[in-house]
PDB file of all heavy atoms in Angstrom:
ATOM      1  N   TYR L 100      20.198 -18.441 -15.064  1.00 96.00           N
ATOM      2  CA  TYR L 100      19.459 -17.172 -15.023  1.00 96.00           C
ATOM      3  C   TYR L 100      20.315 -16.046 -15.578  1.00 96.00           C
ATOM      4  O   TYR L 100      21.517 -15.989 -15.331  1.00 96.00           O
ATOM      5  CB  TYR L 100      19.059 -16.844 -13.579  1.00 96.00           C
ATOM      6  CG  TYR L 100      18.517 -15.445 -13.371  1.00 96.00           C
ATOM      7  CD1 TYR L 100      17.317 -15.044 -13.947  1.00 96.00           C
ATOM      8  CD2 TYR L 100      19.209 -14.511 -12.590  1.00 96.00           C
ATOM      9  CE1 TYR L 100      16.815 -13.758 -13.754  1.00 96.00           C
ATOM     10  CE2 TYR L 100      18.702 -13.226 -12.384  1.00 96.00           C
ATOM     11  CZ  TYR L 100      17.499 -12.858 -12.968  1.00 96.00           C
ATOM     12  OH  TYR L 100      17.006 -11.594 -12.788  1.00 96.00           O
ATOM     13  N   THR L 105      22.722  -8.254 -18.477  1.00 97.00           N
ATOM     14  CA  THR L 105      23.832  -8.815 -17.692  1.00 97.00           C
ATOM     15  C   THR L 105      24.765  -9.653 -18.566  1.00 97.00           C
ATOM     16  O   THR L 105      25.468 -10.523 -18.079  1.00 97.00           O
ATOM     17  CB  THR L 105      23.323  -9.676 -16.515  1.00 97.00           C
ATOM     18  OG1 THR L 105      22.501 -10.729 -17.037  1.00 97.00           O
ATOM     19  CG2 THR L 105      22.540  -8.846 -15.516  1.00 97.00           C
ATOM     20  N   SER L 106      24.727  -9.428 -19.817  1.00 95.00           N
ATOM     21  CA  SER L 106      25.696  -9.928 -20.819  1.00 95.00           C
ATOM     22  C   SER L 106      25.970 -11.425 -20.913  1.00 95.00           C
ATOM     23  O   SER L 106      27.120 -11.787 -21.039  1.00 95.00           O
ATOM     24  CB  SER L 106      27.047  -9.240 -20.619  1.00 95.00           C
ATOM     25  OG  SER L 106      26.951  -7.894 -20.334  1.00 95.00           O
ATOM     26  N   PRO L 107      25.070 -12.344 -20.944  1.00 93.00           N
ATOM     27  CA  PRO L 107      23.690 -12.274 -20.497  1.00 93.00           C
ATOM     28  C   PRO L 107      23.439 -13.210 -19.317  1.00 93.00           C
ATOM     29  O   PRO L 107      22.317 -13.605 -19.085  1.00 93.00           O
ATOM     30  CB  PRO L 107      22.937 -12.766 -21.722  1.00 93.00           C
ATOM     31  CG  PRO L 107      23.844 -13.838 -22.276  1.00 93.00           C
ATOM     32  CD  PRO L 107      25.251 -13.484 -21.835  1.00 93.00           C
ATOM     33  N   VAL L 108      24.503 -13.646 -18.602  1.00 95.00           N
ATOM     34  CA  VAL L 108      24.312 -14.655 -17.551  1.00 95.00           C
ATOM     35  C   VAL L 108      24.655 -14.105 -16.165  1.00 95.00           C
ATOM     36  O   VAL L 108      25.594 -13.329 -16.007  1.00 95.00           O
ATOM     37  CB  VAL L 108      25.176 -15.906 -17.823  1.00 95.00           C
ATOM     38  CG1 VAL L 108      24.864 -17.010 -16.834  1.00 95.00           C
ATOM     39  CG2 VAL L 108      24.954 -16.415 -19.241  1.00 95.00           C
ATOM     40  N   VAL L 109      23.876 -14.545 -15.172  1.00 98.00           N
ATOM     41  CA  VAL L 109      24.112 -14.179 -13.771  1.00 98.00           C
ATOM     42  C   VAL L 109      24.537 -15.407 -12.970  1.00 98.00           C
ATOM     43  O   VAL L 109      25.502 -15.374 -12.215  1.00 98.00           O
ATOM     44  CB  VAL L 109      22.832 -13.554 -13.139  1.00 98.00           C
ATOM     45  CG1 VAL L 109      23.010 -13.357 -11.635  1.00 98.00           C
ATOM     46  CG2 VAL L 109      22.499 -12.231 -13.812  1.00 98.00           C
ATOM     47  N   SER L 110      23.808 -16.512 -13.171  1.00 98.00           N
ATOM     48  CA  SER L 110      24.083 -17.716 -12.380  1.00 98.00           C
ATOM     49  C   SER L 110      23.644 -18.957 -13.139  1.00 98.00           C
ATOM     50  O   SER L 110      22.855 -18.882 -14.080  1.00 98.00           O
ATOM     51  CB  SER L 110      23.350 -17.640 -11.043  1.00 98.00           C
ATOM     52  OG  SER L 110      21.945 -17.668 -11.263  1.00 98.00           O
ATOM     53  N   CYS L 111      24.145 -20.117 -12.686  1.00 97.00           N
ATOM     54  CA  CYS L 111      23.713 -21.389 -13.257  1.00 97.00           C
ATOM     55  C   CYS L 111      24.070 -22.518 -12.287  1.00 97.00           C
ATOM     56  O   CYS L 111      25.055 -22.416 -11.547  1.00 97.00           O
ATOM     57  CB  CYS L 111      24.376 -21.644 -14.609  1.00 97.00           C
ATOM     58  SG  CYS L 111      23.727 -23.106 -15.456  1.00 97.00           S
ATOM     59  N   ASN L 112      23.277 -23.563 -12.302  1.00 98.00           N
ATOM     60  CA  ASN L 112      23.568 -24.734 -11.474  1.00 98.00           C
ATOM     61  C   ASN L 112      24.843 -25.412 -11.961  1.00 98.00           C
ATOM     62  O   ASN L 112      24.997 -25.636 -13.166  1.00 98.00           O
ATOM     63  CB  ASN L 112      22.418 -25.743 -11.553  1.00 98.00           C
ATOM     64  CG  ASN L 112      21.364 -25.510 -10.490  1.00 98.00           C
ATOM     65  OD1 ASN L 112      21.436 -26.036  -9.393  1.00 98.00           O
ATOM     66  ND2 ASN L 112      20.379 -24.688 -10.825  1.00 98.00           N
ATOM     67  N   PRO L 113      25.767 -25.758 -11.054  1.00 97.00           N
ATOM     68  CA  PRO L 113      26.926 -26.556 -11.462  1.00 97.00           C
ATOM     69  C   PRO L 113      26.503 -28.010 -11.633  1.00 97.00           C
ATOM     70  O   PRO L 113      25.616 -28.487 -10.923  1.00 97.00           O
ATOM     71  CB  PRO L 113      27.886 -26.405 -10.273  1.00 97.00           C
ATOM     72  CG  PRO L 113      27.007 -26.112  -9.112  1.00 97.00           C
ATOM     73  CD  PRO L 113      25.789 -25.404  -9.633  1.00 97.00           C
ATOM     74  N   HIS L 115      27.842 -30.735 -10.848  1.00 94.00           N
ATOM     75  CA  HIS L 115      28.128 -31.647  -9.738  1.00 94.00           C
ATOM     76  C   HIS L 115      27.206 -31.432  -8.531  1.00 94.00           C
ATOM     77  O   HIS L 115      27.170 -32.245  -7.625  1.00 94.00           O
ATOM     78  CB  HIS L 115      29.588 -31.492  -9.281  1.00 94.00           C
ATOM     79  CG  HIS L 115      29.910 -30.124  -8.773  1.00 94.00           C
ATOM     80  ND1 HIS L 115      30.249 -29.097  -9.627  1.00 94.00           N
ATOM     81  CD2 HIS L 115      29.926 -29.605  -7.525  1.00 94.00           C
ATOM     82  CE1 HIS L 115      30.464 -28.002  -8.906  1.00 94.00           C
ATOM     83  NE2 HIS L 115      30.263 -28.287  -7.628  1.00 94.00           N
ATOM     84  N   VAL L 122      18.371 -21.448  -9.655  1.00 97.00           N
ATOM     85  CA  VAL L 122      19.175 -21.136 -10.849  1.00 97.00           C
ATOM     86  C   VAL L 122      20.663 -21.126 -10.488  1.00 97.00           C
ATOM     87  O   VAL L 122      21.487 -20.538 -11.182  1.00 97.00           O
ATOM     88  CB  VAL L 122      18.749 -19.791 -11.491  1.00 97.00           C
ATOM     89  CG1 VAL L 122      17.358 -19.895 -12.085  1.00 97.00           C
ATOM     90  CG2 VAL L 122      18.797 -18.653 -10.467  1.00 97.00           C
ATOM     91  N   GLY L 123      20.991 -21.791  -9.364  1.00 97.00           N
ATOM     92  CA  GLY L 123      22.391 -21.954  -8.975  1.00 97.00           C
ATOM     93  C   GLY L 123      22.994 -20.729  -8.307  1.00 97.00           C
ATOM     94  O   GLY L 123      22.334 -19.708  -8.121  1.00 97.00           O
ATOM     95  N   PRO L 124      24.283 -20.815  -7.976  1.00 98.00           N
ATOM     96  CA  PRO L 124      24.969 -19.678  -7.343  1.00 98.00           C
ATOM     97  C   PRO L 124      25.427 -18.666  -8.401  1.00 98.00           C
ATOM     98  O   PRO L 124      25.676 -19.042  -9.545  1.00 98.00           O
ATOM     99  CB  PRO L 124      26.181 -20.345  -6.672  1.00 98.00           C
ATOM    100  CG  PRO L 124      26.446 -21.562  -7.501  1.00 98.00           C
ATOM    101  CD  PRO L 124      25.137 -22.016  -8.061  1.00 98.00           C
ATOM    102  N   PRO L 125      25.536 -17.387  -8.034  1.00 97.00           N
ATOM    103  CA  PRO L 125      26.023 -16.378  -8.990  1.00 97.00           C
ATOM    104  C   PRO L 125      27.450 -16.701  -9.444  1.00 97.00           C
ATOM    105  O   PRO L 125      28.251 -17.222  -8.678  1.00 97.00           O
ATOM    106  CB  PRO L 125      25.992 -15.081  -8.177  1.00 97.00           C
ATOM    107  CG  PRO L 125      25.029 -15.342  -7.072  1.00 97.00           C
ATOM    108  CD  PRO L 125      25.150 -16.796  -6.752  1.00 97.00           C
ATOM    109  N   PHE L 126      27.740 -16.408 -10.702  1.00 96.00           N
ATOM    110  CA  PHE L 126      29.090 -16.593 -11.227  1.00 96.00           C
ATOM    111  C   PHE L 126      30.042 -15.575 -10.613  1.00 96.00           C
ATOM    112  O   PHE L 126      29.628 -14.491 -10.183  1.00 96.00           O
ATOM    113  CB  PHE L 126      29.104 -16.404 -12.750  1.00 96.00           C
ATOM    114  CG  PHE L 126      28.480 -17.543 -13.504  1.00 96.00           C
ATOM    115  CD1 PHE L 126      27.810 -17.304 -14.700  1.00 96.00           C
ATOM    116  CD2 PHE L 126      28.565 -18.844 -13.051  1.00 96.00           C
ATOM    117  CE1 PHE L 126      27.252 -18.343 -15.416  1.00 96.00           C
ATOM    118  CE2 PHE L 126      28.002 -19.894 -13.762  1.00 96.00           C
ATOM    119  CZ  PHE L 126      27.349 -19.644 -14.951  1.00 96.00           C
ATOM    120  N   LYS L 127      31.335 -15.914 -10.600  1.00 94.00           N
ATOM    121  CA  LYS L 127      32.349 -14.953 -10.158  1.00 94.00           C
ATOM    122  C   LYS L 127      32.303 -13.763 -11.110  1.00 94.00           C
ATOM    123  O   LYS L 127      32.127 -13.913 -12.313  1.00 94.00           O
ATOM    124  CB  LYS L 127      33.743 -15.597 -10.197  1.00 94.00           C
ATOM    125  CG  LYS L 127      33.961 -16.649  -9.111  1.00 94.00           C
ATOM    126  CD  LYS L 127      35.330 -17.283  -9.233  1.00 94.00           C
ATOM    127  CE  LYS L 127      35.503 -18.376  -8.175  1.00 94.00           C
ATOM    128  NZ  LYS L 127      36.799 -19.070  -8.334  1.00 94.00           N
ATOM    129  N   GLY L 128      32.493 -12.579 -10.549  1.00 91.00           N
ATOM    130  CA  GLY L 128      32.446 -11.384 -11.399  1.00 91.00           C
ATOM    131  C   GLY L 128      31.167 -10.599 -11.247  1.00 91.00           C
ATOM    132  O   GLY L 128      31.060  -9.479 -11.724  1.00 91.00           O
ATOM    133  N   ASN L 129      30.167 -11.216 -10.593  1.00 95.00           N
ATOM    134  CA  ASN L 129      28.956 -10.438 -10.277  1.00 95.00           C
ATOM    135  C   ASN L 129      28.417 -10.804  -8.903  1.00 95.00           C
ATOM    136  O   ASN L 129      28.661 -11.892  -8.384  1.00 95.00           O
ATOM    137  CB  ASN L 129      27.888 -10.560 -11.360  1.00 95.00           C
ATOM    138  CG  ASN L 129      27.245 -11.933 -11.506  1.00 95.00           C
ATOM    139  OD1 ASN L 129      26.382 -12.100 -12.327  1.00 95.00           O
ATOM    140  ND2 ASN L 129      27.640 -12.921 -10.724  1.00 95.00           N
ATOM    141  N   LYS L 130      27.721  -9.849  -8.290  1.00 97.00           N
ATOM    142  CA  LYS L 130      27.110 -10.053  -6.976  1.00 97.00           C
ATOM    143  C   LYS L 130      25.591  -9.962  -7.128  1.00 97.00           C
ATOM    144  O   LYS L 130      25.083  -9.228  -7.981  1.00 97.00           O
ATOM    145  CB  LYS L 130      27.575  -8.967  -5.992  1.00 97.00           C
ATOM    146  CG  LYS L 130      29.071  -8.983  -5.692  1.00 97.00           C
ATOM    147  CD  LYS L 130      29.426  -7.798  -4.806  1.00 97.00           C
ATOM    148  CE  LYS L 130      30.943  -7.727  -4.582  1.00 97.00           C
ATOM    149  NZ  LYS L 130      31.304  -6.510  -3.813  1.00 97.00           N
ATOM    150  N   VAL L 131      24.913 -10.698  -6.267  1.00 98.00           N
ATOM    151  CA  VAL L 131      23.445 -10.683  -6.282  1.00 98.00           C
ATOM    152  C   VAL L 131      22.935 -10.414  -4.871  1.00 98.00           C
ATOM    153  O   VAL L 131      23.458 -10.963  -3.902  1.00 98.00           O
ATOM    154  CB  VAL L 131      22.881 -12.027  -6.785  1.00 98.00           C
ATOM    155  CG1 VAL L 131      21.358 -12.059  -6.675  1.00 98.00           C
ATOM    156  CG2 VAL L 131      23.292 -12.280  -8.233  1.00 98.00           C
ATOM    157  N   VAL L 141      21.516  -7.023  -9.287  1.00 98.00           N
ATOM    158  CA  VAL L 141      22.789  -7.584  -9.744  1.00 98.00           C
ATOM    159  C   VAL L 141      23.810  -6.465  -9.946  1.00 98.00           C
ATOM    160  O   VAL L 141      23.491  -5.402 -10.481  1.00 98.00           O
ATOM    161  CB  VAL L 141      22.617  -8.357 -11.077  1.00 98.00           C
ATOM    162  CG1 VAL L 141      23.943  -8.981 -11.509  1.00 98.00           C
ATOM    163  CG2 VAL L 141      21.558  -9.434 -10.951  1.00 98.00           C
ATOM    164  N   LYS L 142      25.044  -6.742  -9.512  1.00 98.00           N
ATOM    165  CA  LYS L 142      26.121  -5.761  -9.663  1.00 98.00           C
ATOM    166  C   LYS L 142      27.377  -6.505 -10.111  1.00 98.00           C
ATOM    167  O   LYS L 142      27.674  -7.587  -9.607  1.00 98.00           O
ATOM    168  CB  LYS L 142      26.387  -5.071  -8.317  1.00 98.00           C
ATOM    169  CG  LYS L 142      27.329  -3.877  -8.367  1.00 98.00           C
ATOM    170  CD  LYS L 142      27.444  -3.284  -6.957  1.00 98.00           C
ATOM    171  CE  LYS L 142      28.032  -1.887  -6.989  1.00 98.00           C
ATOM    172  NZ  LYS L 142      28.078  -1.291  -5.629  1.00 98.00           N
ATOM    173  N   GLY L 143      28.114  -5.956 -11.080  1.00 97.00           N
ATOM    174  CA  GLY L 143      29.347  -6.614 -11.497  1.00 97.00           C
ATOM    175  C   GLY L 143      29.795  -6.240 -12.887  1.00 97.00           C
ATOM    176  O   GLY L 143      29.155  -5.429 -13.574  1.00 97.00           O
ATOM    177  N   GLU L 144      30.876  -6.877 -13.310  1.00 95.00           N
ATOM    178  CA  GLU L 144      31.485  -6.538 -14.599  1.00 95.00           C
ATOM    179  C   GLU L 144      30.623  -6.959 -15.788  1.00 95.00           C
ATOM    180  O   GLU L 144      30.859  -6.510 -16.913  1.00 95.00           O
ATOM    181  CB  GLU L 144      32.866  -7.199 -14.700  1.00 95.00           C
ATOM    182  CG  GLU L 144      32.838  -8.713 -14.581  1.00 95.00           C
ATOM    183  CD  GLU L 144      34.210  -9.329 -14.392  1.00 95.00           C
ATOM    184  OE1 GLU L 144      35.135  -8.619 -13.961  1.00 95.00           O
ATOM    185  OE2 GLU L 144      34.354 -10.528 -14.682  1.00 95.00           O
ATOM    186  N   ASN L 145      29.647  -7.836 -15.541  1.00 96.00           N
ATOM    187  CA  ASN L 145      28.763  -8.269 -16.629  1.00 96.00           C
ATOM    188  C   ASN L 145      27.560  -7.354 -16.829  1.00 96.00           C
ATOM    189  O   ASN L 145      26.825  -7.493 -17.806  1.00 96.00           O
ATOM    190  CB  ASN L 145      28.268  -9.700 -16.374  1.00 96.00           C
ATOM    191  CG  ASN L 145      27.507  -9.822 -15.064  1.00 96.00           C
ATOM    192  OD1 ASN L 145      27.789  -9.107 -14.116  1.00 96.00           O
ATOM    193  ND2 ASN L 145      26.551 -10.730 -15.004  1.00 96.00           N
ATOM    194  N   VAL L 146      27.346  -6.414 -15.905  1.00 97.00           N
ATOM    195  CA  VAL L 146      26.188  -5.511 -16.006  1.00 97.00           C
ATOM    196  C   VAL L 146      26.480  -4.415 -17.030  1.00 97.00           C
ATOM    197  O   VAL L 146      27.560  -3.852 -17.067  1.00 97.00           O
ATOM    198  CB  VAL L 146      25.836  -4.892 -14.634  1.00 97.00           C
ATOM    199  CG1 VAL L 146      24.756  -3.829 -14.763  1.00 97.00           C
ATOM    200  CG2 VAL L 146      25.379  -5.983 -13.669  1.00 97.00           C
ATOM    201  N   ASP L 178      23.817 -22.100   0.975  1.00 95.00           N
ATOM    202  CA  ASP L 178      24.779 -22.295  -0.120  1.00 95.00           C
ATOM    203  C   ASP L 178      24.816 -21.163  -1.140  1.00 95.00           C
ATOM    204  O   ASP L 178      25.573 -21.218  -2.110  1.00 95.00           O
ATOM    205  CB  ASP L 178      24.506 -23.625  -0.842  1.00 95.00           C
ATOM    206  CG  ASP L 178      23.051 -23.755  -1.284  1.00 95.00           C
ATOM    207  OD1 ASP L 178      22.392 -22.721  -1.468  1.00 95.00           O
ATOM    208  OD2 ASP L 178      22.576 -24.902  -1.437  1.00 95.00           O
ATOM    209  N   GLY L 179      23.988 -20.126  -0.943  1.00 96.00           N
ATOM    210  CA  GLY L 179      24.014 -18.975  -1.848  1.00 96.00           C
ATOM    211  C   GLY L 179      23.316 -19.198  -3.173  1.00 96.00           C
ATOM    212  O   GLY L 179      23.417 -18.373  -4.083  1.00 96.00           O
TER     213      GLY L 179
END
Side-chain angles (χ1 to χ4, degrees):
Y100 169 66
T105 58
S106 319
V108 187
V109 172
S110 65
C111 187
N112 270 271
H115 62 276
V122 292
F126 287 147
K127 289 178 182 176
N129 68 179
K130 296 175 185 175
V131 175
V141 182
K142 189 178 196 177
E144 59 192 21
N145 59 329
V146 173
D178 52 25

